[in-house]
Amino acid sequence: MGMTQRRETILEELGSAPGLESLQGAIEKLRDHFRVDHLVYHWVNTDGDQYGCGTYSDIWVERYLTKDYLRVDPVVIGSYQKFHPVDWKRLDWSSKASRAFQMDAIAHGVGNQGLTVPIRGPNGQFALFTVSHQCSDAEWEQFIQRNRRDLILIAHEFNEKALEFEPSRQPEQLRALSPREVDAMTLLASGHSRAQVAEALSISEHTLRVYIESARSKLGALNTTHAVARALSWGLIVV
């Protein structure tokens, strides 16, 4: 089974989750699928309520809360300031508190490598989707090159599913994509570069950018990757 097909299978299973509690099972399947040590999702809804699921040990979760590591965690601090995926190696670990936190986290099996996808939803909703693992820099770089796109897509799909269970959420208003927008988003979802998509559709990259931005606006997406994820999950495109 190819990567795209496996991703679609995972997204279909995620889409059938009946409630927040079932997301824990989904994230465990995703961890096993990617063969990593941990996957974690943390969501703060519009009322300030929090929900989390993941594969960290109960001991580490309790220790994190007890020591109030939220104040010094470079992953949380760095991700809150960014919109794009954050590789842990590129964060600021220079302070004594940060280094102590990092050593404690590794000692509790969190892993020395990590990638966190910050997600911003409607009305101030904020979430983090994190993958972490214990491996060398070279192994991690290869893993990210292979799976970065799928992790981003799944992160947004995971968040979309969690938002379905937010009581105060207003229904999304779907706007149909034009045939050209569907073609463009489908090719992007299949892994083609913008240059390849433009060539396949016999249009300039500038015209392609117009189609992508129009689709992104209709889908209420933060960026192109988010737009592709929404188009897939809402059945507007099929890969």
Side-chain angles (χ1 to χ4, degrees):
M1 184 184 294
M3 175 58 75
T4 299
Q5 189 175 351
R6 288 200 300 270
R7 184 192 70 206
E8 291 306 306
T9 300
I10 292 172
L11 292 179
E12 287 175 6
E13 292 179 357
L14 180 60
S16 64
L20 281 175
E21 64 283 351
S22 61
L23 295 185
Q24 177 62 34
I27 208 164
E28 290 173 5
K29 288 182 180 180
L30 286 167
R31 174 201 59 192
D32 297 341
H33 168 75
F34 286 108
R35 298 179 182 177
V36 292
D37 292 338
H38 296 292
L39 279 177
V40 175
Y41 171 78
H42 183 215
W43 158 53
V44 181
N45 73 6
T46 54
D47 297 321
D49 299 322
Q50 298 187 50
Y51 167 76
C53 63
T55 61
Y56 290 156
S57 70
D58 292 339
I59 293 175
W60 171 244
V61 172
E62 181 64 26
R63 186 172 179 82
Y64 187 98
L65 296 173
T66 301
K67 287 187 165 288
D68 196 18
Y69 275 145
L70 187 67
R71 296 183 301 103
V72 299
D73 186 348
V75 175
V76 174
I77 297 170
S79 297
Y80 193 76
Q81 299 169 347
K82 299 181 184 299
F83 285 87
H84 301 295
V86 178
D87 192 309
W88 291 4
K89 294 193 298 292
R90 293 177 173 83
L91 294 169
D92 183 6
W93 299 90
S94 61
S95 73
K96 183 178 180 181
S98 296
R99 291 195 301 271
F101 163 73
Q102 184 181 42
M103 292 177 62
D104 201 11
I106 292 174
H108 283 82
V110 171
N112 66 324
Q113 309 282 0
L115 182 79
T116 295
V117 181
I119 309 166
R120 288 165 176 80
N123 304 317
Q125 185 256 0
F126 180 71
L128 298 175
F129 187 88
T130 292
V131 53
S132 65
H133 194 58
Q134 183 71 34
C135 62
S136 68
D137 287 350
E139 290 171 322
W140 183 249
E141 185 65 29
Q142 290 178 358
F143 171 81
I144 293 302
Q145 286 182 1
R146 281 196 315 271
N147 299 296
R148 186 177 188 272
R149 177 182 172 80
D150 287 321
L151 287 167
I152 296 171
L153 286 169
I154 291 173
H156 284 286
E157 286 305 302
F158 213 93
N159 191 62
E160 283 293 318
K161 192 63 183 179
L163 282 175
E164 287 182 14
F165 308 123
E166 185 180 0
S168 60
R169 188 187 188 196
Q170 297 298 315
E172 299 283 354
Q173 296 296 319
L174 284 179
R175 296 172 58 192
L177 300 180
S178 72
R180 272 309 210 191
E181 290 165 357
V182 169
D183 290 342
M185 300 303 285
T186 300
L187 288 169
L188 288 171
S190 300
H192 293 75
S193 68
R194 292 198 178 203
Q196 291 170 329
V197 173
E199 182 178 358
L201 298 180
S202 299
I203 58 176
S204 69
E205 289 194 47
H206 174 75
T207 301
L208 174 64
R209 191 178 307 116
V210 173
Y211 288 138
I212 292 173
E213 285 303 304
S214 176
R216 185 190 63 77
S217 176
K218 289 179 179 179
L219 294 166
L222 299 172
N223 49 45
T224 302
T225 301
H226 190 197
V228 169
R230 284 194 160 184
L232 283 168
S233 66
W234 292 349
L236 299 177
I237 61 173
V238 178
V239 177

